[in-house]
Each structure stands twice: as C-alpha cells, then as structure tokens.
Amino acid sequence: MRTKIGRALAQTKNMINGMPMDHRLFICVVLINLYGVVMIYSASYYFCGRSVDCQYNAAYLFQNQSMWVVLGIAVMLGLSMLDYHAWRRLILPGLAICVAMSAALRIPGVGRTVNGATRWIRIAGFSLQVAEPIKAILIYWMAHYIARYRVNRISNTAGYVISIAAISGFLGVMSNNMSVILIIWLIAAAMFFVANPGWKRYGILLFVVLALAAAFILYAWTVEITEDTSFRILRIRAWLDPSIDTDRSFQPQNALYAIGSGGIWGKGLGQSLQKYMIPEPQNDFILAIISEELGIAGVSALLSLFAYLLYRIVVIIRSAADLLGKFLAVGVFFHIAIQTIMNVAVVTSVIPTTGVTLPFVSAGGTASFFLLAEIGLVMSVDKFSKQKRAEASARKKAQEESFYGNDWQRGNDYE
C-alpha cells in the first residue's frame, strides 16, 4: 500500500514538474481561487437565499464563481501555451474594443447601473463588468508601448500618457466609476517608474499628488452639503467621521466589528454574524467576513498566498527574455498588488470606501476570469524565457562540440 501511494505521489510530482509553466505559481493561483470560492459561499448563502437576483438559490454565487474560475483556469492554461508576442497584432482592435465597451455602458437596455455606477453590460442574459477586460487590454498595450518606445523622451512619454488618459477617462465618464481610473493610472505610473527609475523626480510628483489629495479631503470636510453634493464627498465625510452619515459608514463600521470579533483563530467557517448585517458581504468586504470566521490566522494565510504569488511573478520578471515580456509581467504584478492593497485598506478603513474587489477572492466571475487570463500571459512569458535559455544552452553546447569534438564533455581530462 505504501509503495503504491509513494508511486502515485512520485507520478503526481513528475506530472507537476513537467508542466510547461511555473508550477508553483499555478498551484498558488489555484489555492487562492479555491479559498475565494469557499469564502464566497460562506459569505453569500444567506444573502443569495433571500435574493430574487440569485433566484433564491443559496449556492447561486458559489456556482457562478466556480464556473468562471474553471473557465478562467482553462483559458490561463491555454494562454500559457501560446507565444505572448502573437497578441501584438491585436493591440489596435483591442483598444477599439475598449472604447466600444465603454460606450455600450450608456446604451439603454445594455448598460446596468448599480449604486450610481454603471459597470456592467448585459447582452442576451450575459453580464460582463467591462472594466476587467479593459484593464487586461491596457496592461498589454502599456507593456507593448514601453517595450517599443522606451518612454524615455518627452514625445514618447506624451503618447503614453495621452493614450492611457483618453481610454481610462472615457471609461470613467461612461461608467461613473473613479476607482477604475485610479487603478489604471496607478498601474500605468508603476510601469512607467520601472521603465524610468529615479526617486528624486518621482518623490516630487508623489508629494504633489499627496498634497492634492489632502487638499481635496479638507475641501470635502468643510464644503457645505447640498442635494447636489457628490457621493464621493459624502463618502469621504463619512470616512472622517462615521457618526455624520451612518448609512454611508455602515459597511466599513460593521467590517471593523467583524475584524475585531474574529480574534486570532476566528469563530469558525460559516459562523460570521456580520455577514447578516453587511450588504453584499461577498463583494468588496469579503475580507471582513474572512477575518471574523477564520481570524488573523486565516487572513495571514491568504495574504501570504498573495505575497508568494507576487514573488513568483517577480522571479518571472527577472528572467524575462525581452522587454515586452518583462513589462507585461510587471503590469500584472502591479494590477494584483494595487487592488489587494487598496481592498485591505478599504476594509480596515485606512482609506475611504471605493469599489475595489479583492483579486480572485471577492465575488465577480468576469474579474477572476480576466485576472486568470493575465496570469496565463505571465506563464507564457515564463515559458518563452525558458525556451530561449534552453535554445541558447543548446546552441552553446553545439558550438563547443563543433570546436573541441566529443571530448569537450570530459573537461576534467584536460586539467
């Protein structure tokens, strides 16, 4: 029996090691998605069982998320087998699709508005959050642009900035979703910084941005509230003083209660009480439910998986064979890192509430699907880089064999 188990484990290990990808990255991504699927069910079964949108099916979001994760993993594996350079010919059509999807948000009967933001398009019963494919396309576009033009001149930098500003700005106007613009701009800025490092000039820019943010917060705190006041200003005021607007501070305050009551080990899977209070707890505030049910230990395990995922992407970045692959992986790295940091900051009330989900964990099939597709591109970068190194090694070996003959392999005989 032990021999059979040992053989089975050895075969499994060989199969994993034989995958044409970074199998540690693959396993880490699968574990995070499994973690997310389980927690989505735990956080949503009460909500779904009483929601007409979920057809009163307690497992509705669990089933939907599972389907998208399976499809996403299949696409991830498919993209990992393809050469990422092949997608360059589709850049312009991809940018046109970005504009078309953004415009479709304002078409009556197609765009779907929830809580003042129009983020989804619905066609023939199929719902798509348009920001997710747009972010993926723009990351590829930014990587291609930086690899080709280096953005080390004013003219090239202007083209980079204008293209990103135009597409993300149009999406923001059509969707009334400023968090998407912020994420895209943060990714673009981070990729630009990697392409042109220099702490002094960026330090000045960062100081200006922080000063403007502080000025806006001060304005939001002091401005007179009227019926026409932007909901973003109201969110900032509720963040600064939750007692001013208990409706808008309801989610973050209950999230803090959930985090505080979870302790080190949590109340147990499925035992959260705050999920009965927080509206749609499976979305932006799912980390609070994880904290309550699994405690600091569960949150630490999840964040450790994210940290290891980002580390594996860094390994691929460092070994990338060309600039396109390097910056494509850089873009995906910052996409995951920025959204994770922002979501944790929102749930812990470090920053005002924004519509930023926790990658792979929050409910949202299209979000997980396109993030998995991005990981597939990163795996393709890894595969291409390994092929290049193998070809270089084989070429070197052939050259040495041609020069020395077969005896070159017995190098110690010549010493």
Side-chain angles (χ1 to χ4, degrees), residues 243-257:
S243 64
I244 292 178
D245 190 339
T246 55
D247 288 338
R248 297 185 187 276
S249 64
F250 185 79
Q251 273 187 307
Q253 287 301 296
N254 278 276
L256 292 177
Y257 297 151

Side-chain angles (χ1 to χ4, degrees), residues 11 22 219 307 356 376 397:
Q11 291 174 355
D22 186 330
Y219 168 77
V356 179
K397 180 178 179 181

Side-chain angles (χ1 to χ4, degrees), residues 239 249-260 278 280-292 299 303 339-358 361-362:
W239 169 64
S249 64
F250 185 79
Q251 273 187 307
Q253 287 301 296
N254 278 276
L256 292 177
Y257 297 151
I259 294 171
I278 300 174
E280 301 185 14
Q282 70 279 356
N283 292 336
D284 302 350
F285 286 85
I286 193 170
L287 189 65
I289 308 303
I290 295 173
S291 298
E292 186 178 7
V299 173
L303 295 182
Q339 283 204 197
T340 301
I341 293 171
M342 288 185 66
N343 181 268
V344 173
V346 166
V347 173
T348 55
S349 291
V350 174
I351 63 175
T353 303
T354 60
V356 179
T357 58
L358 186 60
V361 179
S362 295

Side-chain angles (χ1 to χ4, degrees), residues 230-246:
S230 169
F231 71 91
R232 297 184 181 91
I233 291 178
L234 297 176
R235 279 184 178 180
I236 292 174
R237 291 181 73 118
W239 169 64
L240 293 171
D241 186 353
S243 64
I244 292 178
D245 190 339
T246 55

Side-chain angles (χ1 to χ4, degrees), residues 102-113 118 120-123:
S102 299
L105 290 169
R106 292 302 179 94
I107 299 177
V110 177
R112 178 185 168 203
T113 301
T118 309
W120 294 266
I121 55 175
R122 183 184 293 274
I123 300 176

Side-chain angles (χ1 to χ4, degrees), residues 44-52 54-61:
S44 68
Y45 68 83
Y46 177 81
F47 166 80
C48 287
R50 290 157 177 77
S51 172
V52 64
C54 297
Q55 303 170 6
Y56 303 105
N57 176 10
Y60 180 85
L61 287 177

Side-chain angles (χ1 to χ4, degrees), residues 24-73:
R24 286 168 287 187
L25 173 63
F26 172 78
I27 292 172
C28 185
V29 169
V30 171
L31 288 176
I32 294 175
N33 277 274
L34 288 175
Y35 196 119
V37 167
V38 171
M39 291 310 306
I40 284 170
Y41 177 72
S42 179
S44 68
Y45 68 83
Y46 177 81
F47 166 80
C48 287
R50 290 157 177 77
S51 172
V52 64
D53 292 334
C54 297
Q55 303 170 6
Y56 303 105
N57 176 10
Y60 180 85
L61 287 177
F62 167 79
Q63 295 167 351
N64 182 72
Q65 187 77 11
S66 299
M67 177 193 71
W68 279 107
V69 167
V70 171
L71 290 175
I73 290 176

